[in-house]
Amino acid sequence: VRPWITVDKIGPALVGPGSTVQFTIFFNNMGPSPAAWVWINDTLDPWMAYLSDSNGTLVGAGVGGASMVRVGNVLQYLFTNVQQGAHSFVINVTIGVNVPEGAPLWNNVTLNYTASNGYLLEGSNDSVKMTATGVNITVVKTVDRSWATPGDFLNYMIRFSNLGSENAAYVWLNDTLPAGVVYLGDTNSTVWGVGPGTTWSHVGNVLRWVFTNVQPGSHRFNITVRVNASGVTDGQALVNRASLNHTNANGNKESPSWSNATTTVRMPAIVVSKSVDRTIAYAGESLTYTIWFNNTGNGTARFVWLNDTLPANAQYVSDTNASVTSAGVGTAAWTRIGVYLNFTFTSVLPGAHSFTITVTINGTVANGTLLVNHASLNYTDLNNNPYLWSQDWANATALNLPRIT
């Protein structure tokens, strides 16, 4: 006639970082007599921290006495006069907040006991294996345009993927728009796999969202902005920054992440300049003017209008404006009304552009007459935003004297 006791342990199969976990240890005496001594050693996994247990509740309920000593991660229990019947208690622990997802966690228990006469009987053991779940969310930001002209729309995509195996209780996402754009709207309400009650705010150039109960998987939404028609400069980098913080299912904060998306502003920059091949010429001779409309910016000009006013004492002969279409200009057209030449160029790419105008000085011009040639230029970018106009002159003096050879 002897006691008969084996140890059994139960606990969850999955545990999350920072969670509280409860184990139940059973040491039922299935024999006909009491056990004088029962020793139970419970070894916690290094990722576990002891919180509490209920071993003291067994006293007076089929157990004579109960005590516990903790040595490192080992809990050492001693029970006396363990009567026939069912006996159990619980141990509560917390899981480390930085436990890697997928890590195996073990809780091991051993039991030894004696008969009522102090004779040591065979021991037993049991284990509970758990797998650490987790939340692993990173944010990635992209934009549909690597460069833009003032007035263009930019569509940013924010993707926040939960690569873990449990829901994130909270996800805070802040998006800082670059200076030089205006917010138009977003599609955060279409995000799947999140709890109800998503909130957002817009203060200055910062957009803030709070998502709850974010499931594993990929989540995304878009933000639409427009590049300002003014207040931006050629070559300006429009940097949009998204930052994300989140918690696991138990509300413990996880590692943050961030991502940038950059668009570069491209604008044309054109100033007209003009020269003449000689500054003194005789009546009846020719003058050749060269007009430059170099695009020194990074963007294409959709339209360039160039007006050239010929001197009153000269006659138009020809020009070479059609030649520019083979060197970075889309089309060239012109009209002439008296001394006024009007040129229209389209799709003027960055780079150097020029053409010439040839005139003949009238034979009746008065000696010493100043021949003034004036050019003015206006232009737009690809979205028809107008830019600052410019002008230039090229002058020559006409001589009308007998020529002695």
mmCIF file of all heavy atoms in Angstrom, residues 97-141:
data_model
loop_
_atom_site.group_PDB
_atom_site.id
_atom_site.type_symbol
_atom_site.label_atom_id
_atom_site.label_comp_id
_atom_site.label_asym_id
_atom_site.label_seq_id
_atom_site.Cartn_x
_atom_site.Cartn_y
_atom_site.Cartn_z
ATOM 1 N N VAL A 97 9.426 40.999 -23.649
ATOM 2 C CA VAL A 97 8.882 41.783 -24.753
ATOM 3 C C VAL A 97 9.731 41.665 -26.018
ATOM 4 O O VAL A 97 9.249 41.952 -27.121
ATOM 5 C CB VAL A 97 8.756 43.270 -24.350
ATOM 6 C CG1 VAL A 97 7.755 43.431 -23.228
ATOM 7 C CG2 VAL A 97 10.104 43.864 -23.965
ATOM 8 N N ASN A 98 10.972 41.263 -25.885
ATOM 9 C CA ASN A 98 11.847 41.172 -27.053
ATOM 10 C C ASN A 98 12.066 39.747 -27.557
ATOM 11 O O ASN A 98 12.984 39.497 -28.332
ATOM 12 C CB ASN A 98 13.206 41.814 -26.743
ATOM 13 C CG ASN A 98 13.098 43.293 -26.474
ATOM 14 O OD1 ASN A 98 12.382 44.003 -27.179
ATOM 15 N ND2 ASN A 98 13.794 43.769 -25.440
ATOM 16 N N VAL A 99 11.228 38.840 -27.106
ATOM 17 C CA VAL A 99 11.398 37.457 -27.540
ATOM 18 C C VAL A 99 11.221 37.384 -29.057
ATOM 19 O O VAL A 99 10.279 37.953 -29.617
ATOM 20 C CB VAL A 99 10.393 36.531 -26.826
ATOM 21 C CG1 VAL A 99 8.960 36.924 -27.107
ATOM 22 C CG2 VAL A 99 10.649 35.079 -27.208
ATOM 23 N N PRO A 100 12.136 36.727 -29.761
ATOM 24 C CA PRO A 100 12.007 36.644 -31.220
ATOM 25 C C PRO A 100 10.789 35.838 -31.635
ATOM 26 O O PRO A 100 10.451 34.831 -31.008
ATOM 27 C CB PRO A 100 13.307 35.942 -31.656
ATOM 28 C CG PRO A 100 14.239 36.074 -30.498
ATOM 29 C CD PRO A 100 13.380 36.094 -29.274
ATOM 30 N N GLU A 101 10.155 36.315 -32.681
ATOM 31 C CA GLU A 101 9.015 35.562 -33.191
ATOM 32 C C GLU A 101 9.468 34.190 -33.672
ATOM 33 O O GLU A 101 10.505 34.041 -34.317
ATOM 34 C CB GLU A 101 8.352 36.307 -34.341
ATOM 35 C CG GLU A 101 7.107 35.596 -34.832
ATOM 36 C CD GLU A 101 6.506 36.282 -36.039
ATOM 37 O OE1 GLU A 101 7.109 37.246 -36.531
ATOM 38 O OE2 GLU A 101 5.445 35.820 -36.490
ATOM 39 N N GLY A 102 8.691 33.178 -33.304
ATOM 40 C CA GLY A 102 9.002 31.814 -33.689
ATOM 41 C C GLY A 102 9.925 31.084 -32.733
ATOM 42 O O GLY A 102 10.189 29.891 -32.910
ATOM 43 N N ALA A 103 10.443 31.797 -31.724
ATOM 44 C CA ALA A 103 11.359 31.157 -30.780
ATOM 45 C C ALA A 103 10.612 30.109 -29.951
ATOM 46 O O ALA A 103 9.493 30.351 -29.493
ATOM 47 C CB ALA A 103 11.996 32.194 -29.861
ATOM 48 N N PRO A 104 11.216 28.933 -29.725
ATOM 49 C CA PRO A 104 10.597 27.933 -28.851
ATOM 50 C C PRO A 104 10.869 28.268 -27.384
ATOM 51 O O PRO A 104 11.993 28.627 -27.017
ATOM 52 C CB PRO A 104 11.274 26.635 -29.266
ATOM 53 C CG PRO A 104 12.628 27.071 -29.753
ATOM 54 C CD PRO A 104 12.440 28.424 -30.368
ATOM 55 N N LEU A 105 9.859 28.182 -26.561
ATOM 56 C CA LEU A 105 9.990 28.410 -25.129
ATOM 57 C C LEU A 105 9.569 27.133 -24.398
ATOM 58 O O LEU A 105 8.567 26.500 -24.771
ATOM 59 C CB LEU A 105 9.126 29.583 -24.660
ATOM 60 C CG LEU A 105 9.636 31.007 -24.949
ATOM 61 C CD1 LEU A 105 9.573 31.335 -26.429
ATOM 62 C CD2 LEU A 105 8.826 32.026 -24.154
ATOM 63 N N TRP A 106 10.325 26.782 -23.369
ATOM 64 C CA TRP A 106 10.061 25.551 -22.631
ATOM 65 C C TRP A 106 9.800 25.851 -21.162
ATOM 66 O O TRP A 106 10.433 26.727 -20.572
ATOM 67 C CB TRP A 106 11.247 24.591 -22.720
ATOM 68 C CG TRP A 106 11.439 24.012 -24.096
ATOM 69 C CD1 TRP A 106 12.196 24.519 -25.107
ATOM 70 C CD2 TRP A 106 10.859 22.816 -24.596
ATOM 71 N NE1 TRP A 106 12.123 23.734 -26.216
ATOM 72 C CE2 TRP A 106 11.308 22.656 -25.927
ATOM 73 C CE3 TRP A 106 10.001 21.855 -24.059
ATOM 74 C CZ2 TRP A 106 10.928 21.595 -26.728
ATOM 75 C CZ3 TRP A 106 9.629 20.790 -24.860
ATOM 76 C CH2 TRP A 106 10.082 20.655 -26.167
ATOM 77 N N ASN A 107 8.861 25.118 -20.608
ATOM 78 C CA ASN A 107 8.662 25.108 -19.163
ATOM 79 C C ASN A 107 8.684 23.650 -18.723
ATOM 80 O O ASN A 107 7.848 22.845 -19.132
ATOM 81 C CB ASN A 107 7.340 25.757 -18.778
ATOM 82 C CG ASN A 107 7.170 25.847 -17.282
ATOM 83 O OD1 ASN A 107 6.401 25.101 -16.693
ATOM 84 N ND2 ASN A 107 7.893 26.748 -16.644
ATOM 85 N N ASN A 108 9.666 23.302 -17.894
ATOM 86 C CA ASN A 108 9.890 21.912 -17.490
ATOM 87 C C ASN A 108 9.596 21.734 -16.001
ATOM 88 O O ASN A 108 9.940 22.604 -15.180
ATOM 89 C CB ASN A 108 11.338 21.502 -17.773
ATOM 90 C CG ASN A 108 11.702 21.677 -19.240
ATOM 91 O OD1 ASN A 108 10.984 21.230 -20.120
ATOM 92 N ND2 ASN A 108 12.819 22.354 -19.497
ATOM 93 N N VAL A 109 9.002 20.614 -15.655
ATOM 94 C CA VAL A 109 8.688 20.333 -14.261
ATOM 95 C C VAL A 109 9.106 18.901 -13.928
ATOM 96 O O VAL A 109 8.960 17.987 -14.756
ATOM 97 C CB VAL A 109 7.179 20.546 -13.988
ATOM 98 C CG1 VAL A 109 6.321 19.604 -14.806
ATOM 99 C CG2 VAL A 109 6.879 20.429 -12.498
ATOM 100 N N THR A 110 9.657 18.724 -12.745
ATOM 101 C CA THR A 110 10.006 17.385 -12.244
ATOM 102 C C THR A 110 9.361 17.193 -10.877
ATOM 103 O O THR A 110 9.163 18.159 -10.121
ATOM 104 C CB THR A 110 11.530 17.204 -12.116
ATOM 105 O OG1 THR A 110 12.047 18.148 -11.173
ATOM 106 C CG2 THR A 110 12.206 17.393 -13.465
ATOM 107 N N LEU A 111 9.064 15.956 -10.548
ATOM 108 C CA LEU A 111 8.430 15.632 -9.265
ATOM 109 C C LEU A 111 9.092 14.408 -8.661
ATOM 110 O O LEU A 111 9.342 13.409 -9.349
ATOM 111 C CB LEU A 111 6.934 15.392 -9.464
ATOM 112 C CG LEU A 111 6.113 15.005 -8.225
ATOM 113 C CD1 LEU A 111 4.700 15.585 -8.309
ATOM 114 C CD2 LEU A 111 6.040 13.482 -8.030
ATOM 115 N N ASN A 112 9.372 14.494 -7.368
ATOM 116 C CA ASN A 112 9.820 13.351 -6.567
ATOM 117 C C ASN A 112 8.981 13.299 -5.293
ATOM 118 O O ASN A 112 8.516 14.346 -4.805
ATOM 119 C CB ASN A 112 11.308 13.479 -6.220
ATOM 120 C CG ASN A 112 12.186 13.296 -7.447
ATOM 121 O OD1 ASN A 112 12.489 12.181 -7.855
ATOM 122 N ND2 ASN A 112 12.606 14.422 -8.040
ATOM 123 N N TYR A 113 8.805 12.097 -4.717
ATOM 124 C CA TYR A 113 7.969 11.994 -3.523
ATOM 125 C C TYR A 113 8.345 10.742 -2.736
ATOM 126 O O TYR A 113 9.059 9.852 -3.238
ATOM 127 C CB TYR A 113 6.486 11.975 -3.891
ATOM 128 C CG TYR A 113 6.027 10.754 -4.655
ATOM 129 C CD1 TYR A 113 5.224 9.788 -4.038
ATOM 130 C CD2 TYR A 113 6.366 10.565 -5.998
ATOM 131 C CE1 TYR A 113 4.784 8.666 -4.743
ATOM 132 C CE2 TYR A 113 5.913 9.457 -6.705
ATOM 133 C CZ TYR A 113 5.126 8.518 -6.069
ATOM 134 O OH TYR A 113 4.671 7.429 -6.762
ATOM 135 N N THR A 114 7.870 10.715 -1.507
ATOM 136 C CA THR A 114 8.131 9.559 -0.646
ATOM 137 C C THR A 114 6.813 8.989 -0.132
ATOM 138 O O THR A 114 5.787 9.676 -0.099
ATOM 139 C CB THR A 114 8.989 9.944 0.572
ATOM 140 O OG1 THR A 114 8.220 10.769 1.442
ATOM 141 C CG2 THR A 114 10.258 10.663 0.137
ATOM 142 N N ALA A 115 6.900 7.749 0.267
ATOM 143 C CA ALA A 115 5.761 7.136 0.959
ATOM 144 C C ALA A 115 5.676 7.702 2.371
ATOM 145 O O ALA A 115 6.529 8.485 2.807
ATOM 146 C CB ALA A 115 5.930 5.619 0.991
ATOM 147 N N SER A 116 4.660 7.279 3.107
ATOM 148 C CA SER A 116 4.459 7.815 4.465
ATOM 149 C C SER A 116 5.588 7.453 5.405
ATOM 150 O O SER A 116 5.825 8.123 6.414
ATOM 151 C CB SER A 116 3.125 7.303 5.029
ATOM 152 O OG SER A 116 3.114 5.868 5.037
ATOM 153 N N ASN A 117 6.347 6.382 5.063
ATOM 154 C CA ASN A 117 7.479 5.988 5.900
ATOM 155 C C ASN A 117 8.789 6.642 5.456
ATOM 156 O O ASN A 117 9.866 6.289 5.932
ATOM 157 C CB ASN A 117 7.623 4.461 5.882
ATOM 158 C CG ASN A 117 7.873 3.919 4.471
ATOM 159 O OD1 ASN A 117 7.989 4.677 3.515
ATOM 160 N ND2 ASN A 117 7.933 2.582 4.362
ATOM 161 N N GLY A 118 8.712 7.580 4.495
ATOM 162 C CA GLY A 118 9.906 8.278 4.029
ATOM 163 C C GLY A 118 10.640 7.599 2.907
ATOM 164 O O GLY A 118 11.706 8.078 2.483
ATOM 165 N N TYR A 119 10.105 6.485 2.424
ATOM 166 C CA TYR A 119 10.779 5.745 1.346
ATOM 167 C C TYR A 119 10.592 6.494 0.022
ATOM 168 O O TYR A 119 9.475 6.831 -0.378
ATOM 169 C CB TYR A 119 10.219 4.331 1.241
ATOM 170 C CG TYR A 119 10.917 3.472 0.217
ATOM 171 C CD1 TYR A 119 12.171 2.915 0.483
ATOM 172 C CD2 TYR A 119 10.328 3.242 -1.028
ATOM 173 C CE1 TYR A 119 12.802 2.129 -0.479
ATOM 174 C CE2 TYR A 119 10.961 2.454 -1.984
ATOM 175 C CZ TYR A 119 12.213 1.905 -1.703
ATOM 176 O OH TYR A 119 12.853 1.140 -2.643
ATOM 177 N N LEU A 120 11.717 6.800 -0.667
ATOM 178 C CA LEU A 120 11.680 7.541 -1.920
ATOM 179 C C LEU A 120 11.148 6.662 -3.040
ATOM 180 O O LEU A 120 11.678 5.577 -3.299
ATOM 181 C CB LEU A 120 13.076 8.060 -2.278
ATOM 182 C CG LEU A 120 13.170 8.960 -3.517
ATOM 183 C CD1 LEU A 120 12.386 10.263 -3.289
ATOM 184 C CD2 LEU A 120 14.634 9.269 -3.843
ATOM 185 N N LEU A 121 10.139 7.184 -3.717
ATOM 186 C CA LEU A 121 9.519 6.452 -4.815
ATOM 187 C C LEU A 121 9.945 7.075 -6.158
ATOM 188 O O LEU A 121 10.567 8.137 -6.213
ATOM 189 C CB LEU A 121 7.999 6.480 -4.668
ATOM 190 C CG LEU A 121 7.478 5.853 -3.359
ATOM 191 C CD1 LEU A 121 5.975 6.054 -3.223
ATOM 192 C CD2 LEU A 121 7.818 4.346 -3.325
ATOM 193 N N GLU A 122 9.547 6.413 -7.246
ATOM 194 C CA GLU A 122 10.013 6.867 -8.558
ATOM 195 C C GLU A 122 9.399 8.224 -8.903
ATOM 196 O O GLU A 122 8.231 8.489 -8.643
ATOM 197 C CB GLU A 122 9.666 5.842 -9.643
ATOM 198 C CG GLU A 122 8.194 5.620 -9.922
ATOM 199 C CD GLU A 122 7.548 4.633 -8.981
ATOM 200 O OE1 GLU A 122 8.157 4.270 -7.942
ATOM 201 O OE2 GLU A 122 6.415 4.210 -9.278
ATOM 202 N N GLY A 123 10.229 9.068 -9.502
ATOM 203 C CA GLY A 123 9.776 10.398 -9.874
ATOM 204 C C GLY A 123 9.169 10.434 -11.270
ATOM 205 O O GLY A 123 9.090 9.431 -11.984
ATOM 206 N N SER A 124 8.740 11.632 -11.697
ATOM 207 C CA SER A 124 8.169 11.834 -13.034
ATOM 208 C C SER A 124 8.457 13.272 -13.482
ATOM 209 O O SER A 124 8.898 14.116 -12.691
ATOM 210 C CB SER A 124 6.655 11.574 -13.038
ATOM 211 O OG SER A 124 5.992 12.455 -12.154
ATOM 212 N N ASN A 125 8.219 13.531 -14.732
ATOM 213 C CA ASN A 125 8.462 14.886 -15.256
ATOM 214 C C ASN A 125 7.504 15.163 -16.411
ATOM 215 O O ASN A 125 6.898 14.257 -16.981
ATOM 216 C CB ASN A 125 9.911 15.052 -15.700
ATOM 217 C CG ASN A 125 10.292 14.080 -16.802
ATOM 218 O OD1 ASN A 125 9.975 14.281 -17.965
ATOM 219 N ND2 ASN A 125 10.998 12.997 -16.423
ATOM 220 N N ASP A 126 7.411 16.418 -16.750
ATOM 221 C CA ASP A 126 6.575 16.827 -17.875
ATOM 222 C C ASP A 126 7.092 18.174 -18.384
ATOM 223 O O ASP A 126 7.842 18.879 -17.677
ATOM 224 C CB ASP A 126 5.103 16.930 -17.457
ATOM 225 C CG ASP A 126 4.148 16.942 -18.654
ATOM 226 O OD1 ASP A 126 4.611 16.648 -19.773
ATOM 227 O OD2 ASP A 126 2.959 17.254 -18.455
ATOM 228 N N SER A 127 6.710 18.516 -19.597
ATOM 229 C CA SER A 127 7.165 19.772 -20.200
ATOM 230 C C SER A 127 6.034 20.382 -21.007
ATOM 231 O O SER A 127 5.148 19.690 -21.512
ATOM 232 C CB SER A 127 8.363 19.532 -21.136
ATOM 233 O OG SER A 127 9.481 19.045 -20.413
ATOM 234 N N VAL A 128 6.089 21.686 -21.132
ATOM 235 C CA VAL A 128 5.202 22.416 -22.035
ATOM 236 C C VAL A 128 6.082 23.208 -22.990
ATOM 237 O O VAL A 128 6.928 23.990 -22.552
ATOM 238 C CB VAL A 128 4.256 23.364 -21.276
ATOM 239 C CG1 VAL A 128 3.474 24.227 -22.270
ATOM 240 C CG2 VAL A 128 3.308 22.573 -20.392
ATOM 241 N N LYS A 129 5.885 22.968 -24.287
ATOM 242 C CA LYS A 129 6.612 23.741 -25.296
ATOM 243 C C LYS A 129 5.679 24.783 -25.894
ATOM 244 O O LYS A 129 4.556 24.489 -26.283
ATOM 245 C CB LYS A 129 7.137 22.835 -26.415
ATOM 246 C CG LYS A 129 7.899 23.597 -27.488
ATOM 247 C CD LYS A 129 8.307 22.708 -28.660
ATOM 248 C CE LYS A 129 9.007 23.525 -29.733
ATOM 249 N NZ LYS A 129 9.380 22.699 -30.915
ATOM 250 N N MET A 130 6.172 26.001 -25.950
ATOM 251 C CA MET A 130 5.405 27.100 -26.529
ATOM 252 C C MET A 130 6.207 27.723 -27.674
ATOM 253 O O MET A 130 7.440 27.623 -27.711
ATOM 254 C CB MET A 130 5.121 28.171 -25.476
ATOM 255 C CG MET A 130 4.225 27.690 -24.342
ATOM 256 S SD MET A 130 4.736 28.372 -22.751
ATOM 257 C CE MET A 130 6.210 27.409 -22.425
ATOM 258 N N THR A 131 5.510 28.371 -28.556
ATOM 259 C CA THR A 131 6.149 29.111 -29.649
ATOM 260 C C THR A 131 5.790 30.579 -29.508
ATOM 261 O O THR A 131 4.613 30.927 -29.327
ATOM 262 C CB THR A 131 5.679 28.592 -31.019
ATOM 263 O OG1 THR A 131 6.014 27.205 -31.136
ATOM 264 C CG2 THR A 131 6.351 29.367 -32.153
ATOM 265 N N ALA A 132 6.811 31.400 -29.583
ATOM 266 C CA ALA A 132 6.580 32.839 -29.447
ATOM 267 C C ALA A 132 5.961 33.384 -30.726
ATOM 268 O O ALA A 132 6.493 33.209 -31.816
ATOM 269 C CB ALA A 132 7.890 33.562 -29.148
ATOM 270 N N THR A 133 4.809 33.977 -30.567
ATOM 271 C CA THR A 133 4.222 34.706 -31.686
ATOM 272 C C THR A 133 4.751 36.134 -31.623
ATOM 273 O O THR A 133 5.563 36.483 -30.771
ATOM 274 C CB THR A 133 2.693 34.702 -31.603
ATOM 275 O OG1 THR A 133 2.297 35.372 -30.401
ATOM 276 C CG2 THR A 133 2.170 33.277 -31.601
ATOM 277 N N GLY A 134 4.287 36.966 -32.532
ATOM 278 C CA GLY A 134 4.777 38.328 -32.475
ATOM 279 C C GLY A 134 4.129 39.197 -33.521
ATOM 280 O O GLY A 134 3.341 38.765 -34.351
ATOM 281 N N VAL A 135 4.490 40.456 -33.433
ATOM 282 C CA VAL A 135 4.074 41.456 -34.399
ATOM 283 C C VAL A 135 5.339 42.070 -34.956
ATOM 284 O O VAL A 135 6.210 42.513 -34.207
ATOM 285 C CB VAL A 135 3.198 42.531 -33.736
ATOM 286 C CG1 VAL A 135 2.881 43.633 -34.730
ATOM 287 C CG2 VAL A 135 1.923 41.916 -33.196
ATOM 288 N N ASN A 136 5.449 42.066 -36.264
ATOM 289 C CA ASN A 136 6.627 42.636 -36.916
ATOM 290 C C ASN A 136 6.140 43.494 -38.075
ATOM 291 O O ASN A 136 5.848 42.985 -39.157
ATOM 292 C CB ASN A 136 7.563 41.528 -37.398
ATOM 293 C CG ASN A 136 8.787 42.080 -38.085
ATOM 294 O OD1 ASN A 136 9.051 43.275 -38.039
ATOM 295 N ND2 ASN A 136 9.538 41.216 -38.743
ATOM 296 N N ILE A 137 6.015 44.792 -37.832
ATOM 297 C CA ILE A 137 5.438 45.684 -38.835
ATOM 298 C C ILE A 137 6.490 46.674 -39.315
ATOM 299 O O ILE A 137 7.151 47.334 -38.501
ATOM 300 C CB ILE A 137 4.216 46.435 -38.287
ATOM 301 C CG1 ILE A 137 3.132 45.443 -37.855
ATOM 302 C CG2 ILE A 137 3.662 47.392 -39.338
ATOM 303 C CD1 ILE A 137 1.872 46.104 -37.356
ATOM 304 N N THR A 138 6.645 46.767 -40.605
ATOM 305 C CA THR A 138 7.529 47.760 -41.202
ATOM 306 C C THR A 138 6.730 48.589 -42.201
ATOM 307 O O THR A 138 5.772 48.103 -42.799
ATOM 308 C CB THR A 138 8.713 47.098 -41.931
ATOM 309 O OG1 THR A 138 8.203 46.178 -42.905
ATOM 310 C CG2 THR A 138 9.604 46.351 -40.949
ATOM 311 N N VAL A 139 7.140 49.830 -42.370
ATOM 312 C CA VAL A 139 6.458 50.719 -43.297
ATOM 313 C C VAL A 139 7.344 50.949 -44.512
ATOM 314 O O VAL A 139 8.569 51.062 -44.394
ATOM 315 C CB VAL A 139 6.091 52.060 -42.627
ATOM 316 C CG1 VAL A 139 7.336 52.845 -42.220
ATOM 317 C CG2 VAL A 139 5.210 52.902 -43.542
ATOM 318 N N VAL A 140 6.729 50.970 -45.687
ATOM 319 C CA VAL A 140 7.429 51.252 -46.940
ATOM 320 C C VAL A 140 6.630 52.315 -47.684
ATOM 321 O O VAL A 140 5.408 52.187 -47.850
ATOM 322 C CB VAL A 140 7.574 49.994 -47.820
ATOM 323 C CG1 VAL A 140 8.215 50.352 -49.156
ATOM 324 C CG2 VAL A 140 8.404 48.935 -47.101
ATOM 325 N N LYS A 141 7.320 53.346 -48.137
ATOM 326 C CA LYS A 141 6.671 54.464 -48.821
ATOM 327 C C LYS A 141 7.183 54.558 -50.250
ATOM 328 O O LYS A 141 8.391 54.493 -50.489
ATOM 329 C CB LYS A 141 7.006 55.755 -48.065
ATOM 330 C CG LYS A 141 6.288 56.989 -48.588
ATOM 331 C CD LYS A 141 4.960 57.130 -47.912
ATOM 332 C CE LYS A 141 4.212 58.351 -48.399
ATOM 333 N NZ LYS A 141 4.467 59.504 -47.565
#
